Structure formats: C-alpha cells, structure tokens
Amino acid sequence: MKTRRKVTIPLCLLGLMVMLALAGCGREQADSTESMQVPPAGEAGQLQELNVKADELYKNAAAGQYLEARKALEDFGTQAASISYAGVTGIEGVNALSDAVVEAKRQLNAARLDPEKVVHSAARLKLAADALTHKNQPMWLHYYKVLNGDTTRLEEAVSKGNQAAAKAAFVALNGHYDVIRPSVWISRTPEEGERMESLLVFFAKQVEPAAFQKETLEGGIRQWRDTLASLFRKGDDQSVYLPVMEPDQPILWTLTIGLVIAAVLSFAGWRMIRVEREAVRPPRFRDMDGGN
C-alpha cells in the first residue's frame, strides 16, 4: 500500500498541475482575445456600408457618371464622419482617410474635370475603405508588383546614369504609391508610413538634374527596396494573408486535452503499480491473480 500511495499521489498531482496549466493557458487565450480592440458589431456594419459606398463611388467615377459619383462621395463623407475608428486604425489613419475625402471632393468639383485624377482619387478611397474592413488581406497589398516594377525601372535608369528616365520612373512610382497612401496609414504603423514618405521626398530631390548622383540614388534604392518589402510583409507572408484563427470553445479544448493527459498518466500509474506489486508479492499470490 505504501508503494501504491507513493506512486499514485505524485501522478495525481502531476495530472492536476497539467490540467491547471492548460486551463490557465485557455483563460489567457480567451482573455487576450477579449482584450483585442475590435469594432462593435454596429460599427463593423457601418464600415461595411462605407466600403459599399466607396465601391459605388469608384464605379461611377470610372464610368464618367460624375453626378452619381458626387452623390456617392457625399454619402461616403457623411458616413465616414459618423464612425468610430477605435480598434480599427489610429489617428494617422483617420487623418489620411479625411484627406483622401477632401481630395476626391476637390477633383469632382473642379471647374474642369480631369477624368484620370477623378478615378485616381476614387481609387484611393476604395482601397482605404477596403483596408478598414479587411485588416488581414486588404486589396492594396496587390500593389507590391506594380511598385516593384516601378522600382526596377528607376534602378535601371540610375545605373545607366539617365537622369530623365530616372525622373520619369520616379513620377510613375510616386503616382502608384499615392493610390495606396491612405491605406498604408490606415493599415501600418506611423513609423512605417513616415519611412515611406521620407524616401519619396529623398527621390523627388535626387532625380532632379542639379542633384542627380548615381551612387547616392543607388543607396537610396537599396533602402527603398528593403522598406517596401517590410511594408508589404514579404518576409512574413503568413502574417499578411492568413488571419489568426482562435478556437470557438477554448475552455472545451483545454478540458479535452487535460482529460486525455490525465487518462494517459492514470494508465501509466496503473502499469507502474502493477509492475511493482508483481515484483514484491510471493509467487502463490501471482498464481491466484492469474499472472504469468
């Protein structure tokens, strides 16, 4: 009996400790999930409506239906001003969205409409609204290929010492980045947004004839490539495209795992007790039990 108690008590304690640890992990997981800032259901619905209105704005702008585009933009601005963005984006993202609305209004209300600029401003709002509603896989991530191609053309022009071609490549690069600029401020940290802006200012100065220097620009392009890859999370694709999946019932999973471990420990303890009992009992008792 002493041997049995010595074996079973530690095993029971171990099983209890494991189950408590797993239960603690489950509580921490549930607490961390609950503590994440997510928009309430009502605000999430408003963000979806904002996304629908942005899509309507873009389609009308692309089709040249400017009266309908103005109406959609007015509705978009009204909705955007009434939504709380807590847990969705920071103050920089809200400011970027507001600036994009102002720019779109300026283009649509211009005395002489420029169809290309109207579509450009509508596209910025469409991508920004999408970034607000699709945190894990926003549409603006597809612009990496475009920006990477622009960077390659800029790099080739600089390597050849062709200032005019380098400036043309930068203008294209800057224009394409401007489409996703509000989305970047919405989806990324202020530090990442600032790094992109600083590099763009650097290129804008360096591609001018008076400041054009091959070595300086080549160094800037290397830094731009690294920053661009980081912005688009190219070294961590899973974190960009795959949302974190939480168990629907973390406590149930915890108890299930705990019960399985407890069962395994109990079986192991029974085997150990039986082996030790067989080792110390006289042969006649083994025969009574039907042992070998």
Side-chain angles (χ1 to χ4, degrees):
M1 290 296 292
K2 290 182 179 179
T3 303
R4 186 171 185 173
R5 280 197 295 269
K6 288 179 180 178
V7 174
T8 54
I9 290 175
L11 286 172
C12 290
L13 289 175
L14 178 60
L16 181 61
M17 290 171 64
V18 171
M19 291 184 69
L20 289 174
L22 287 170
C25 291
R27 282 194 298 271
E28 288 178 5
Q29 186 180 49
D31 292 343
S32 63
T33 302
E34 291 173 0
S35 64
M36 289 175 61
Q37 286 188 318
V38 294
E43 290 171 7
Q46 289 180 311
L47 289 173
Q48 288 293 347
E49 292 176 6
L50 193 69
N51 195 23
V52 171
K53 192 58 63 176
D55 188 57
E56 181 183 336
L57 165 63
Y58 178 76
K59 288 178 179 178
N60 286 327
Q65 298 174 345
Y66 300 125
L67 288 176
E68 292 83 353
R70 289 191 188 96
K71 178 63 170 61
L73 178 58
E74 192 64 32
D75 292 341
F76 182 96
T78 301
Q79 290 181 14
S82 65
I83 297 174
S84 171
Y85 298 94
V88 180
T89 187
I91 185 65
E92 294 82 5
V94 176
N95 288 338
L97 179 64
S98 177
D99 290 344
V101 172
V102 171
E103 175 61 21
K105 287 183 176 181
R106 190 172 73 84
Q107 294 300 334
L108 272 169
N109 293 316
R112 296 183 62 180
L113 286 177
D114 184 329
E116 185 176 343
K117 289 182 178 180
V118 169
V119 173
H120 181 96
S121 62
R124 296 171 89 223
L125 284 177
K126 170 57 184 170
L127 292 175
D130 178 82
L132 290 168
T133 53
H134 298 86
K135 187 174 181 63
N136 293 302
Q137 194 176 357
M139 291 173 59
W140 69 268
L141 292 177
H142 296 293
Y143 267 69
Y144 177 77
K145 186 176 181 180
V146 175
L147 293 174
N148 193 47
D150 290 336
T151 304
T152 298
R153 284 184 282 277
L154 174 61
E155 191 173 40
E156 290 174 349
V158 170
S159 67
K160 297 176 181 177
N162 190 331
Q163 180 271 327
K167 183 173 182 178
F170 168 71
V171 169
L173 172 65
N174 190 49
H176 290 145
Y177 180 79
D178 187 63
V179 179
I180 68 169
R181 178 176 273 111
S183 303
V184 169
W185 286 107
I186 288 170
S187 302
R188 297 295 186 245
T189 65
E191 292 76 17
E192 289 176 293
E194 289 292 350
R195 281 196 293 270
M196 298 298 290
E197 298 298 333
S198 296
L199 284 167
L200 289 169
V201 170
F202 165 80
F203 286 132
K205 293 179 179 179
Q206 293 298 319
V207 296
E208 292 298 328
F212 187 86
Q213 293 183 358
K214 179 180 175 181
E215 294 78 9
T216 303
L217 276 167
E218 285 176 338
I221 291 171
R222 286 193 295 271
Q223 187 174 353
W224 168 263
R225 282 197 180 278
D226 291 340
T227 306
L228 193 66
S230 176
L231 185 77
F232 283 81
R233 305 295 191 261
K234 300 311 290 183
D236 187 15
D237 289 339
Q238 278 194 326
S239 67
V240 174
Y241 296 106
L242 300 180
V244 177
M245 303 299 293
E246 297 288 349
D248 292 333
Q249 296 175 306
I251 295 177
L252 180 59
W253 276 105
T254 299
L255 292 176
T256 302
I257 295 171
L259 289 173
V260 171
I261 293 176
V264 172
L265 290 173
S266 298
F267 177 74
W270 176 81
R271 291 285 297 174
M272 291 175 64
I273 293 168
R274 183 174 179 82
V275 169
E276 292 190 10
R277 188 180 63 186
E278 294 292 336
V280 300
R281 292 173 62 187
R284 64 176 180 276
F285 288 106
R286 297 181 198 173
D287 295 336
M288 289 176 64
D289 290 340
N292 296 325

